[in-house]
Amino acid sequence: MDIVLQQLVNGLTLGSVYGLIAIGYTMVYGIIGMINFAHGDVYMVSAYITAIAIALLTFFGIESFPIIIIGTLFLTVAVTGAYGWVIERIAYRPLRNSSRLSVLISAIGMSLILQNYVQLSQGANQQGVPTLLTGAIRFSVGDGFVQITYMKLMILLISLLGMGILTYVIQKTKLGRMCRATQQDRKMASILGIDTDKVISTVFVIGAMMAALAGVLITLDYGAFDFYVGFIIGIKAFTAAVLGGIGSLPGAMLGGLILGLSEALFAGLISSDYKDVFSFSLLVLILIIRPSGLLGKPEVEKV
Amino acid sequence: MSNMVIRKTFISLAVAGAVTMAQAEVVIGVAGPHTGAYAAFGEQMWKGAEKAAADLNAAGGINGEMIKLVKADDACEPKQAVSIANRLVDSDGALAVVGHFCSSSSIPASRIYEEGGVLMVTPASTNPALTEQGLPNVFRICGRDDQQGDVAASYIVDELNAKRVAVLHDKDTYGKGLADAMKATLNAYGVKEVLYEGLTRGEKDFNAVVTKIRSVDADVVYFGGLHSEAGPLVRQLREQGSKALFISGDGIVSDEFVSVAGSPAYVEGVMMTFGAPPSSYPSGKKVISEFRASGYEPEGYTLYSYTAMQIVAEALSKNDLDPMAGAEWLQSNSINTVMGKKDFDEKGDLTVSDYVMYEWDDKGKYHQIN
Amino acid sequence: MSQAAGVNFKKSTIDALIAGFLALILFGPIVGVLLDGYQFNFETDRVAWMVAIVAIGRFAISSFFQTEKGIAMSFRYANSNDGATVLAPGHKSKMVWIIPLVIVIGLLIPFIASKYVLTVVILGLIYVLLGLGLNIVVGLAGLLDLGFVGFYAIGAYGLALGYENLGLGFWSMLPIAAILAAVAGAILGFPVLRMHGDYLAIVTLGFGEIIRLVLTNWASFTHGPNGISAPLPTLFGLEFKRRSRDGETFHEFFNLPYDSAYKYMFIYLVLFAVVWAVLFIKHRLVKMPIGRAWEALREDEIACRSLGLNHVLVKLSAFMLGASTGGLAGVFFATYQGFINPSSFTFFESALILAIVVLGGMGSTLGVVIAAFFLTVLPEMLREFAEYRVLMFGILMVVMMIWKPRGIVRVTRTGFAPKQGAVK
């Protein structure tokens, strides 16, 4: 029993992080119908900025944990957002009117550029951040126990907060309305006076910021990263986005949670060798039953 | 045929132009992952080979000919390894190769070197299959996975008296080979592992596996893999409150292991198998201090690569720069290197495996266990 | 507008300043602060260089786009004109002359090129095969497949495992692997054909990953990450080895000195013939009803279905044909390499093949051939850049896409005019 509970906790934290990164995929897809393959690498860049921010802040003599974490979050989210904007401007905007596959290839090229740019400037070695927050809560369950580190609690809390703020922005603000209008019909939105190019840029920035949030949290929790770390997590997050119904914001969060939980439970209770096989099979299965993902709207085909 | 002559002339012209030296040169390839996910190891290999070549050239080169290194990047992809091996043999005219790093690159490349008559000494490919192919030109100066696994298994059984051992690996040639070898010896001692699982390289979240280790109540966790996964794994193990002893192989020999794990507190008590320390040899000490003086910490495979270079140079110089004669000569002669005296058997493996156990302390340094 | 084409340097300067400032934000942390364990070193001059380069570059670009030429260029990007170029009816293709020339040159390559060049060309041809296969699926039928590498793996492992377990050699496995891959394509294709564009993409991506993971994990059968040897092709039973355990080898039979290049020459010639065969078959298929159906389905599925086209069968045939071509390529890859392991079949490989198809110009055969060589030979040529190689490759990918978003070669189609006097 304690083991199953512990696996649930593992799955929830992993899943909430997948959800944060999946938001970037799902929003970009929703608005310009493009799979942004460089998104995983944006996350990777944010991991580096996290470590640099922590190193800089400690260098300037800041010791207290809350200030470090807030400073790191602020710096990382800001700089990574700038990366999102610039990537869109350079690699995707010139291709706005061409086929979606051209943009896909451009994104794959961008992903290679980001990986190698970081490798060349920071070296290929494994990097780490010091452990800033230690300690854990321990519950006794039956004979065993469930142990949740404070860091894990923080991950759950901050990612929930991030998703909450984003949902508010999309649902209630003018910016969110513009995003939704552009998503529904880009041409119509531009006729109605919405600067769609600006909206698309904003979406990329928001996606990058969410990835940065995940980047800070994961980097603080696992401590380890290298320039290649964006690839696997990018594919997982993309899977989560599709699972939940690509283009749907709550879908991305739900997809992330389902993926995280299924991975943890399968690896923990059956075999970690085939855990990825299981995740992908689950995806195929769900898509066969619901071809547009869990919360995705079925595509209406117009003649 | 004239094509060959022209090409050779062109190469020597280019070489002469580049180095402004009228002498002939010996081209030696340093093949490894200079880009890609394993580029950190490629850098270690290059630094070691570069320094060895500089030292050898300063001492007069090989039979008076200067060594010219060629950086050959395979990114640890078999596809690129084959291309680059053909390029080294064909276009660069290399006589010998130090490399490759990944066993999966070394195996296909070794056949091309054999066909081309090129001597190959790998500092890092530990998979037994490499030398089991029966190629006369292939040597390695690292141990084999099975030797390393033996040392770890007998330590676990004889010294630690552990009964509940969990075996993990990273599903890669090196890590799985190591874990399998360890498991085989363990089973031969009559200890059955309580868990045998593979992780995915490149992931950082191993909480699910860690919880599973807790559920089987393991005393010892043996991990076949590299520090990039071992760091987060040991950290998550401790964070979930497990006290199991963590043992691994030479894949975690790097100061980065500590920084990746997050704090020296997490790696304290971690054990590993690794070759006897190079600093125990007088010549090794000198090279290490020179490396440090130049601002580079010779970790992991740096000295292995340096040693490989020395062996290549020795084999070539004793046999009039004939690589295949050098290969035959190596099988019956011993060579003094910065890592002690090395002897090879007819397969190309070291006759004496010098694996010993090390332990990490609370300051993030490792020491040999006496 | 042409008289307003004078360069406004103030605007350029402002652009350059903004770009420089952005570059400072972007490069400042990553380039300027070099992590060293938990400490770091400042590398301010690196940042200064990069910011300067970006600012100057932006100034130049900004100025250029204010000139007449630049304005003309930016208009080119603003318009999109999709579709094929239609040639006049009765147009005679120049290909009649080019094809024999290419064949002759192609046949001469193994005898004049060095072994290294030959191996690069072989790799290029393997990617031509892969590109042609994926081109049927993506370019013609419009099904986005991100797991094409799975079929490639099936072909390669088919050869290696077939040889190990059943004693089947190169020649018997060549057709069997193609059939195996086609069957796998059908098994995958059947359930997923309901899905639309990008859902299909992720499912196929998952399929490719599943194959790779199974190859890695099922160690008792596939030898897992350790990989497995693959046999060389034989010429009527003659082997291309230095020594043969049974029977004569090629060089002994013909009384030639041993040279490992013979092996590559032979693989090259067989591969060359197969590529031409595939090219020919594809060329005919496109003009046949099935090829027309693929393209029609790509353009408008609903219309096709209401016209009574069996969309499942059409899609499935595209999937299977593409897969079998991928399987063929896998067999050649395994025999050329002599050794395979799962690390050759990662997602990146699928992406590369997709890049070949898109860069070549979706649906264009000639474009695929050019792009395949471009993308396989390029990394070898970029070796001079050493560690900047992959970075350059990525930059070229983005630049190529921006420069030619519809690929190198546009699809052309010969127009059709009804015969005069047919209807009286």
Side-chain angles (χ1 to χ4, degrees):
Chain A
M1 190 58 207
D2 56 325
I3 296 302
V4 177
L5 274 178
Q6 181 82 58
Q7 295 292 17
L8 281 177
V9 172
N10 297 340
L12 271 180
T13 44
L14 186 62
S16 58
V17 171
Y18 283 161
L20 280 180
I21 304 173
I23 286 172
Y25 282 106
T26 222
M27 287 185 72
V28 165
Y29 185 87
I31 209 151
I32 52 172
M34 154 210 182
I35 305 172
N36 182 8
F37 266 111
H39 191 59
D41 297 294
V42 171
Y43 154 81
M44 177 272 297
V45 168
S46 79
Y48 273 87
I49 299 174
T50 306
I52 289 165
I54 291 174
L56 280 174
L57 289 172
T58 37
F59 175 73
F60 290 118
I62 296 166
E63 297 287 330
S64 91
F65 177 73
I67 297 179
I68 288 187
I69 181 98
I70 289 168
T72 308
L73 269 175
F74 180 76
L75 274 173
T76 311
V77 167
V79 177
T80 315
Y83 266 94
W85 189 84
V86 168
I87 290 169
E88 195 270 340
R89 185 72 191 79
I90 292 177
Y92 307 148
R93 190 175 296 179
L95 291 163
R96 189 57 44 80
N97 292 319
S98 24
S99 94
R100 292 192 337 213
L101 279 177
S102 320
V103 197
L104 187 73
I105 302 302
S106 182
I108 292 170
M110 202 65 221
S111 153
L112 285 179
I113 293 176
L114 282 178
Q115 276 175 24
N116 284 278
Y117 149 67
V118 170
Q119 186 211 322
L120 288 169
S121 33
Q122 289 287 337
N125 40 355
Q126 287 283 323
Q127 305 281 3
V129 292
T131 314
L132 296 173
L133 183 64
T134 51
I137 309 173
R138 189 185 273 224
F139 305 102
S140 299
V141 180
D143 304 333
F145 58 89
V146 175
Q147 186 154 334
I148 309 169
T149 54
Y150 294 136
M151 198 57 229
K152 291 254 180 323
L153 284 178
M154 209 175 87
I155 289 184
L156 280 174
L157 215 73
I158 294 188
S159 47
L160 270 179
L161 201 71
M163 289 177 185
I165 292 173
L166 185 64
T167 314
Y168 173 79
V169 168
I170 296 293
Q171 295 298 334
K172 302 283 176 196
T173 62
K174 192 177 165 205
L175 178 73
R177 271 201 299 280
M178 289 190 339
C179 282
R180 280 182 290 147
T182 313
Q183 175 168 1
Q184 276 175 8
D185 192 332
R186 194 159 85 212
K187 209 171 244 168
M188 193 66 210
S190 69
I191 290 168
L192 291 176
I194 294 173
D195 185 349
T196 47
D197 269 347
K198 206 173 249 168
V199 172
I200 292 169
S201 287
T202 316
V203 163
F204 270 88
V205 172
I206 292 175
M209 283 176 161
M210 285 291 146
L213 204 58
V216 173
L217 295 174
I218 299 185
T219 310
L220 282 177
D221 187 25
Y222 302 148
F225 58 94
D226 54 44
F227 65 93
Y228 206 63
V229 84
F231 177 70
I232 287 188
I233 211 156
I235 283 196
K236 291 280 172 65
F238 179 47
T239 311
V242 178
L243 195 68
I246 195 156
S248 147
L249 210 54
M253 302 168 193
L254 182 71
L257 286 181
I258 290 179
L259 192 71
L261 281 175
S262 74
E263 270 190 15
L265 290 177
F266 190 85
L269 303 176
I270 303 166
S271 152
S272 72
D273 285 348
Y274 286 95
K275 124 192 132 172
D276 293 342
V277 176
F278 175 74
S279 319
F280 285 122
S281 313
L282 185 78
L283 174 78
V284 174
L285 216 71
I286 288 182
L287 286 187
I288 287 173
I289 300 164
R290 284 192 61 91
S292 332
L294 287 174
L295 298 183
K297 289 190 202 89
E299 262 175 64
V300 183
E301 283 179 67
K302 292 169 224 161
V303 182
Chain B
M1 213 51 222
S2 64
N3 195 5
M4 272 298 265
V5 175
I6 292 168
R7 211 177 320 126
K8 283 260 161 68
T9 333
F10 178 73
I11 286 170
S12 47
L13 275 176
V15 161
V19 192
T20 62
M21 211 176 267
Q23 276 166 309
E25 299 213 334
V26 182
V27 178
I28 295 177
V30 182
H34 299 296
T35 62
Y38 304 82
F41 295 106
E43 192 189 338
Q44 291 175 359
M45 285 174 65
W46 178 250
K47 291 272 188 196
E50 200 182 23
K51 170 137 180 65
D55 289 354
L56 285 163
N57 281 343
I62 301 176
N63 294 357
E65 298 188 18
M66 290 295 123
I67 298 172
K68 178 175 175 268
L69 293 184
V70 176
K71 201 181 213 175
D73 176 28
D74 67 7
C76 266
E77 276 181 29
K79 176 179 85 181
Q80 296 205 34
V82 169
S83 278
I84 196 70
N86 273 312
R87 187 186 162 116
L88 281 174
V89 172
D90 233 46
S91 314
D92 295 328
L95 292 182
V97 171
V98 172
H100 297 213
F101 177 78
C102 291
S103 299
S104 50
S105 293
S106 293
I107 294 171
S110 64
R111 301 174 185 189
I112 292 159
Y113 296 136
E114 194 253 349
E115 283 165 356
V118 170
L119 176 65
M120 165 175 171
V121 181
T122 168
S125 293
T126 47
N127 194 294
L130 176 62
T131 44
E132 295 295 335
Q133 296 179 98
L135 301 177
N137 63 321
V138 179
F139 295 87
R140 66 171 135 217
I141 47 150
C142 45
R144 291 163 56 123
D145 291 337
D146 35 8
Q147 296 167 339
Q148 200 177 158
D150 278 353
V151 174
S154 53
Y155 187 83
I156 290 170
V157 175
D158 293 340
E159 303 286 326
L160 299 172
N161 287 318
K163 292 281 177 286
R164 304 188 63 80
V165 184
V167 182
L168 301 177
H169 60 84
D170 65 357
K171 294 203 264 198
D172 218 333
T173 320
Y174 163 76
K176 187 169 185 303
L178 185 58
D180 285 350
M182 186 335 263
K183 186 169 87 105
T185 320
L186 199 66
N187 294 349
Y189 279 112
V191 178
K192 181 93 179 78
E193 75 280 357
V194 289
L195 184 73
Y196 177 78
E197 293 240 348
L199 312 168
T200 309
R201 281 217 56 180
E203 280 192 356
K204 303 290 173 207
D205 184 284
F206 306 123
N207 278 306
V209 174
V210 165
T211 306
K212 209 167 175 184
I213 293 171
R214 263 179 49 196
S215 74
V216 296
D217 198 19
D219 307 327
V220 171
V221 177
Y222 185 82
F223 176 65
L226 306 175
H227 63 273
S228 44
E229 280 73 38
L233 181 63
V234 73
R235 172 178 179 156
Q236 287 162 32
L237 204 61
R238 300 293 174 248
E239 278 181 350
Q240 281 201 26
S242 166
K243 301 235 165 4
L245 192 60
F246 191 89
I247 302 181
S248 188
D250 57 0
I252 66 168
V253 184
S254 165
D255 284 346
E256 286 165 26
F257 177 50
V258 185
S259 64
V260 166
S263 134
Y266 289 118
V267 302
E268 188 186 352
V270 169
M271 294 182 179
M272 64 185 180
T273 44
F274 189 45
S279 50
S280 58
Y281 309 107
S283 50
K285 254 184 202 150
K286 183 170 158 281
V287 174
I288 290 177
S289 58
E290 281 174 16
F291 263 119
R292 288 192 179 136
S294 69
Y296 180 78
E297 180 63 32
E299 327 181 276
Y301 294 99
T302 315
L303 285 171
Y304 281 83
S305 179
Y306 190 102
T307 310
M309 204 68 203
Q310 284 187 306
I311 287 168
V312 163
E314 188 78 7
L316 289 178
S317 81
K318 285 278 178 355
N319 295 281
D320 297 328
L321 300 178
D322 179 351
M324 290 317 256
E328 213 179 310
W329 179 84
L330 275 179
Q331 289 170 359
S332 48
N333 290 281
S334 55
I335 300 106
N336 277 315
T337 71
V338 288
M339 293 177 69
K341 212 162 123 182
K342 299 286 179 193
D343 289 284
F344 294 98
D345 62 15
E346 68 280 4
K347 280 183 193 157
D349 291 322
L350 290 176
T351 45
V352 191
S353 98
D354 57 352
Y355 282 110
V356 288
M357 297 296 300
Y358 286 80
E359 185 173 12
W360 292 77
D361 64 15
D362 55 355
K363 300 200 178 49
K365 298 277 164 225
Y366 52 88
H367 309 282
Q368 193 178 345
I369 302 173
N370 299 313
Chain C
M1 277 304 279
S2 59
Q3 67 266 43
V7 178
N8 181 353
F9 281 106
K10 196 176 148 203
K11 183 179 177 301
S12 302
T13 317
I14 292 171
D15 279 351
L17 282 178
I18 293 173
F21 178 67
L22 258 175
L24 188 67
I25 295 177
L26 297 190
F27 297 136
I30 299 275
V31 181
V33 185
L34 183 62
L35 285 169
D36 178 19
Y38 298 152
Q39 271 88 49
F40 62 90
N41 305 310
F42 282 118
E43 298 268 352
T44 36
D45 44 343
R46 287 204 311 199
V47 182
W49 274 111
M50 294 198 53
V51 170
I53 290 169
V54 167
I56 292 167
R58 181 74 185 114
F59 184 82
I61 291 173
S62 178
S63 308
F64 173 72
F65 273 106
Q66 289 173 30
T67 63
E68 233 166 287
K69 240 179 159 179
I71 290 170
M73 249 180 95
S74 53
F75 269 115
R76 240 188 67 207
Y77 290 118
N79 315 321
S80 73
N81 47 341
D82 275 314
T85 314
V86 179
L87 302 170
H91 173 85
K92 287 266 185 297
S93 170
K94 288 194 192 77
M95 282 293 178
V96 182
W97 297 102
I98 296 172
I99 289 172
L101 192 73
V102 172
I103 292 182
V104 169
I105 294 174
L107 286 176
L108 283 176
I109 282 179
F111 304 103
I112 48 173
S114 76
K115 208 170 80 184
Y116 167 61
V117 173
L118 189 59
T119 52
V120 174
V121 175
I122 290 177
L123 210 56
L125 281 179
I126 291 175
Y127 278 88
V128 169
L129 267 187
L130 286 169
L132 288 175
L134 190 64
N135 196 21
I136 296 177
V137 184
V138 180
L140 293 177
L143 307 165
L144 181 52
D145 183 349
L146 289 179
F148 196 66
V149 79
F151 305 120
Y152 185 39
I154 287 175
Y157 266 86
L159 175 65
L161 291 172
Y163 179 71
E164 191 183 82
N165 298 319
L166 306 169
L168 293 170
F170 173 81
W171 289 108
S172 31
M173 271 322 289
L174 199 59
I176 296 177
I179 294 168
L180 268 179
V183 170
I187 294 173
L188 167 73
F190 215 72
V192 303
L193 289 177
R194 270 181 66 195
M195 293 165 201
H196 289 284
D198 299 290
Y199 289 96
L200 187 72
I202 181 77
V203 170
T204 47
L205 192 158
F207 169 76
E209 285 292 291
I210 287 174
I211 288 197
R212 189 179 61 81
L213 290 166
V214 169
L215 289 175
T216 313
N217 289 324
W218 192 6
S220 55
F221 182 58
T222 64
H223 301 273
N226 287 352
I228 177 169
S229 302
L232 284 169
T234 54
L235 175 67
F236 300 112
L238 296 174
E239 291 186 65
F240 285 89
K241 290 179 184 162
R242 195 186 289 271
R243 271 168 239 98
S244 173
R245 243 168 259 154
D246 36 28
E248 269 181 307
T249 63
F250 174 79
H251 65 99
E252 284 165 0
F253 187 81
F254 288 100
N255 264 327
L256 294 164
Y258 174 75
D259 187 343
S260 61
Y262 294 145
K263 174 177 84 183
Y264 292 119
M265 286 182 194
F266 184 62
I267 295 177
Y268 173 83
L269 291 173
V270 177
L271 182 58
F272 193 67
V274 169
V275 168
W276 276 109
V278 171
L279 276 174
F280 178 74
I281 293 171
K282 227 210 89 192
H283 183 69
R284 302 305 307 171
L285 273 178
V286 173
K287 301 203 161 159
M288 277 160 61
I290 183 77
R292 302 284 196 219
W294 288 335
E295 290 193 78
L297 208 63
R298 176 188 69 195
E299 296 304 327
D300 194 336
E301 186 168 338
I302 296 177
C304 285
R305 284 164 72 174
S306 42
L307 286 171
L309 219 59
N310 184 340
H311 72 291
V312 173
L313 218 62
V314 172
K315 280 183 180 176
L316 210 56
S317 62
F319 233 87
M320 288 173 69
L321 260 170
S324 65
T325 317
L328 281 181
V331 173
F332 278 103
F333 178 69
T335 193
Y336 151 75
Q337 193 99 294
F339 168 90
I340 43 168
N341 80 342
S343 65
S344 304
F345 308 105
T346 54
F347 167 70
F348 180 72
E349 215 59 21
S350 288
L352 192 67
I353 306 168
L354 187 67
I356 287 173
V357 174
V358 177
L359 195 60
M362 304 264 287
S364 157
T365 310
L366 178 66
V368 165
V369 174
I370 296 174
F373 273 101
F374 182 69
L375 288 186
T376 39
V377 176
L378 189 69
E380 292 298 323
M381 294 195 338
L382 291 176
R383 282 206 185 276
E384 309 304 324
F385 290 94
E387 58 262 42
Y388 295 91
R389 187 165 67 104
V390 190
L391 183 72
M392 295 294 293
F393 186 62
I395 291 175
L396 276 171
M397 242 161 124
V398 173
V399 169
M400 280 300 291
M401 262 9 276
I402 293 173
W403 180 49
K404 283 208 175 288
R406 272 172 296 278
I408 303 171
V409 180
R410 288 282 286 278
V411 178
T412 54
R413 188 165 287 148
T414 314
F416 174 77
K419 276 200 187 99
Q420 282 188 354
V423 182
K424 283 252 160 96

